[in-house]
Amino acid sequence: MMPLSFETVIGLEVHVQLATESKLFCSCPTAYIGSEPNTNVCPACLGLPGSLPSLNRRALELGVKAALALNCSINCMTKFHRKNYFYPDLPKAFQVSQYDVPLAVSGSMPIFLEGKVKNINITRLHLEEDAGKLIHETADGRLSGAAFSLVDYNRAGVPLAEIVSEPELSSPEEAREYVLMIRRLVRYLEVSDGDMESGSLRVDANISQKCSDGRWGSRVEIKNVNSLRAMERALEYETIRQRGLLLKGEEIVQETRHWDDNSGVTRSSRGKEEAHDYRYFPEPDLPQIAVERTLVENVRESLPEPPWKKREKFAREWRLSPADSASLSENLDVAVFLENVAASGADRQMAANWVKTDILRVLNETGLAVGDLQVGPEGLASLLAHVEKGSLSNTAAKDVLDIMLKKGIAVDDAMKEAGVKAGGVSRESLLGVVAKVLGENAAETALLFSGEDTSGKKRKFLQGLIMREIRGQAAPEDVSAMIDRVLDEMKG
Amino acid sequence: MLFHEMEASSIASGIREGEFTAKDVVVDCLARMRALEPVLNALITPLSENALAKAVGIDAAVSSGKDPGSLCGVPVVIKDNMCARGVRTTCGSRILGDWKPPYDATVVDLLEKAGAVVIGKSNMDEFAMGSSTEHSAFGPTSNPRDTDRVPGGSSGGSAASVAAGYAPIALGSDTGGSIRQPAAFCGIHGLKPTYGLVSRWGLVAFASSLDQIGPFARSVSDIALVMDTIARYDPRDSTCRPGDRPGYRESIKAPTVRGKRVGIVREFQGGSLDPDLGRSIENTASMLASSGAEIVDVSLPESAAYGLPCYYIIAPAEASSNLARFDGVRYGLREDAADLITQFIRTRSKGFGEEVQRRILTGTFALSSGYYDAYYLLALKVRRRICVEFADAFEAADVILMPATPSLPFRKGELIDDPISMYMSDVFTLPVNLAGLPGMTVSTGMNDSGLPLSVQLVAPRWEDSRLLEFAAVIEAWAGRPGVASGGVL
Amino acid sequence: MAIDEKDVLHVARLARLDIAPDRIEPMVRYFQDIIGHFRTLEKCDTDGIDPFEESGSHLCPLRDDEPKAWDSVLEALEEAPLREGRFFKVPAIGGGGDPDALS
């Protein structure tokens, strides 16, 4: 008998908090982190009797922006529904969301894994309002068995875009790459800060197993995954649990399970599920929304190249390594900076190396954004022009870049300050320095002279001393040529 | 002077011109209110002190040469489902406790900005669900024309206040007839504007797609005066139509029906319609014909057959969602419990009256899994048919003339234990809400027993001024309704 | 299909309402009556009707994204039946009595 094999089938629902100034259906500020509880609230987001919703245009635009970047079709007439359930963080006892006519449908997005590209289809993108926050309180400080909960509605009504994928992800790693790509995209688009830690990007996962004997296990929804790591662990756990059940010939129960990050298991929340009946119906307080062509076209014109296009361009056109293509396309500003360095005349590979090692290092160390740097792409390009011409060594150029970054001055001024000049050593004085260094290091010179320095180590050592003496103001090839000339003269 | 018998427009102009003061008017109306309230119970919250203070302020403004507005010093009564900042708002329910809204309804704000003086919040069927003002946690209201009878509902307190002379004008809300039916029962005029003409911001919702605020008055010109004040675009209500409104008083300056077509609805004549009300339609039609209008037959078979069940699915469905927020967390009544879900259940079971619970349950049922398509979705489709049917009727007629209610005001307690028969009192009004049309009850005098007669006029969407023009012609013929004795002579 | 006590109690659980034992029977009868009325709608010819068409209605207006703080938050907080500082306070969630768990 053939051993059974399995395929994992995963679909993700990603909730992205949209970067608007005001809430989805009222004018309250969206900044809920760090605010005193219940400060950014009003009759509408507190669900006071008699209050009504009014839709934020910007939220609609940001939803359209994400949808277009995901290659979705926009529904030119869209509408909101009420999702009814009782929970204290839901002030109206219904969430205004979208149901049968979402803002956008049928998109797709590539993910990259192990050198391969896989296209993931997007089912839909819809807008909805966030709920408030509950804080569980105990009289004696215990974590469980809280007697009371406290409710803060500052987050209630903050706009969310929910992006639903088709069940086309086949491993926890793919799920991770998918979420990372969504995060990269929403950051590129400035649609959201995409921060999972603070909850502005949240994921629910659906997972099932397809067995080689033809059985297909029921779908299980996993909630409460609050980090990428938690999502991967939960999906790994569920894969093993579901395959185990199928191997034993048991059924998978279709249900929602909650991930317990401390114990590393998912737990059934069955019982509650059976009676869930959200009684969706069209929100009568909001007429249909026309997503006008001009709005869509204006948004389309503002779209940057998405992260996967940048990455493919760096890999295919620029011929950068897969790792470099990935890291240099992670952030839109860095990618655009790099493109501009190249556009200002620098060699692509050299520009990529410098941005990757020097610029990213500074950004990491200082926490600055690329736009905050004292050096623009043209500045870096003009520095690299000296390196490319051979008139400035890498070492010297790095010193100059440091000064440029610190002082915000142009290349020429920075070079003056570093005391270097491009090609600043005459052949005559280079000859003098080489002769002097060879003379001072007679033992090494002798080995070079006799041809015994087969590894070239001694030559490198001497060349380094010379470079230091001339402060890198000559190209390495020129120094090397000068060493040969002096050696020839010695032979002569 | 009997200020409480005057029209709002005469009060406002008298105060503006210094013939009398706002205080004189308010004192007289409050005295009237105090005398009749023990019998009528039309108000849940009288606001005597606030009203006097406001009147004094208006007099000061007038004497310093300012114009406080078109409703300068006019006493008004507001149905107790509209928010007035800092004033207890109950919706006729226990569940709101002593809730004091921290904001004003748009209509309240507009009235006050025009110089009106709110003298009380009126009694109503709980959450506007009812046709008799007997379903109030604050006791029933009596009909000032015959105190053994109900004033109609749900805006019975507002209608009774105007009929009894507490104020020349009042605001009500109409979801299935809650302005037009009590206006008919109390013998005054009442207008339900086109859906979307008046802002609902601050109106505690019953059924959002049907609710509309409108005025009661004892004269057509006062109805027009209120409409000129409250019919404004309000960006806080997304269902409120953007753009300007016509001048409503302007539309009744020289009212004429000459050359206009008046549709009589075949299905709504005869049958169980009270013969006096049937005659009222016939007499009104004859008068309009002799004034140059053309009387035509129109047919509304689907409104007649399906209006009631369609309404009693859609309205409770929306209500079940709108009333879910009353859970004891943020405002109003809270019944203590050790856990949250028990708190929800206890609070809601104790706070809502029986009729409201019935409607929440039927609405929840109509939306629930397995029944949504069979009931809610089907009702939405039937609603579309009713809209189309009215639109077709308006191809043949400029205005439809039909009864407002099937019966004269019934006695208190008569229908209280028979909810479905009670629902029948809105059979002529609720199709108008389903179609979003403007409808107006026009008083046509009294029958031989002294009970009020009326007709209902219905126009196409946004043609509210056409209703007023017809109403003005009818009023000129039937006479303006007077103030009722309210059982006290 | 006939509506029975079980259906009515299920709906009551969804609506977070408790029907007193002596009100259950009248409520079931009311449901049967009103549903009888509802079923007359089945006679209406609704073929090809779009239930969501909003004829005569305008489109949803859009609001500019300009944040504005509300100046009456404290008044709203004062209305809370149970409060702790600026928080609304509720009894523990779950803790037994979850009607969903009963079904």
Side-chain angles (χ1 to χ4, degrees), chain C residues 7-25:
Chain C
D7 300 316
V8 171
L9 291 178
H10 170 72
V11 169
R13 275 196 299 273
L14 279 179
R16 297 288 188 267
L17 286 172
D18 182 32
I19 309 176
D22 63 320
R23 303 304 302 158
I24 292 175
E25 202 269 312

Side-chain angles (χ1 to χ4, degrees), chain A residues 21-24 26-27 37-39 54-57 79 86 137 146-151 271 282 287-288, chain C residues 14 16 52 54 58-60 62-65 67-68 70 73 84 86-93 98 100 103:
Chain A
E21 299 282 320
S22 66
K23 291 184 179 180
L24 185 54
C26 64
S27 298
N38 294 307
T39 45
S54 56
L55 178 61
N56 184 337
R57 174 187 284 111
K79 65 183 186 216
F86 289 88
E137 181 191 61
F148 289 98
S149 298
L150 303 177
V151 201
Q288 296 190 60
Chain C
L14 279 179
R16 297 288 188 267
F52 303 113
E54 294 175 9
H58 58 273
L59 294 165
C60 190
L62 300 175
R63 170 177 54 81
D64 289 338
D65 184 28
K68 217 163 55 196
W70 186 45
V73 177
E84 188 168 307
R86 294 189 67 104
F87 286 106
F88 296 91
K89 190 170 174 178
V90 295
I93 297 151
D98 182 345
D100 285 349
S103 58

Side-chain angles (χ1 to χ4, degrees), chain A residues 231-246:
Chain A
M231 182 188 74
E232 278 184 283
R233 287 176 67 207
L235 289 171
E236 279 156 14
Y237 175 86
E238 259 314 292
T239 304
I240 291 165
R241 187 186 74 86
Q242 292 181 11
R243 287 181 180 182
L245 287 170
L246 290 170

Side-chain angles (χ1 to χ4, degrees), chain A residues 465-478:
Chain A
L465 290 178
I466 295 160
M467 275 306 225
R468 196 180 303 159
E469 198 85 3
I470 61 166
R471 315 183 68 179
Q473 296 172 89
E477 308 86 73
D478 292 347

Side-chain angles (χ1 to χ4, degrees), chain B residues 174-185:
Chain B
D174 189 318
T175 307
S178 284
I179 291 173
R180 289 159 291 154
Q181 188 255 17
F185 277 18

Side-chain angles (χ1 to χ4, degrees), chain B residues 336-344, chain C residues 91-98:
Chain B
D336 198 22
D339 70 276
L340 185 73
I341 286 152
T342 311
Q343 172 185 308
F344 283 177
Chain C
I93 297 151
D98 182 345

Side-chain angles (χ1 to χ4, degrees), chain B residues 94-108:
Chain B
R94 277 186 299 275
I95 205 157
L96 275 155
D98 281 323
W99 183 56
K100 293 185 184 68
Y103 74 106
D104 275 329
T106 299
V107 287
V108 170

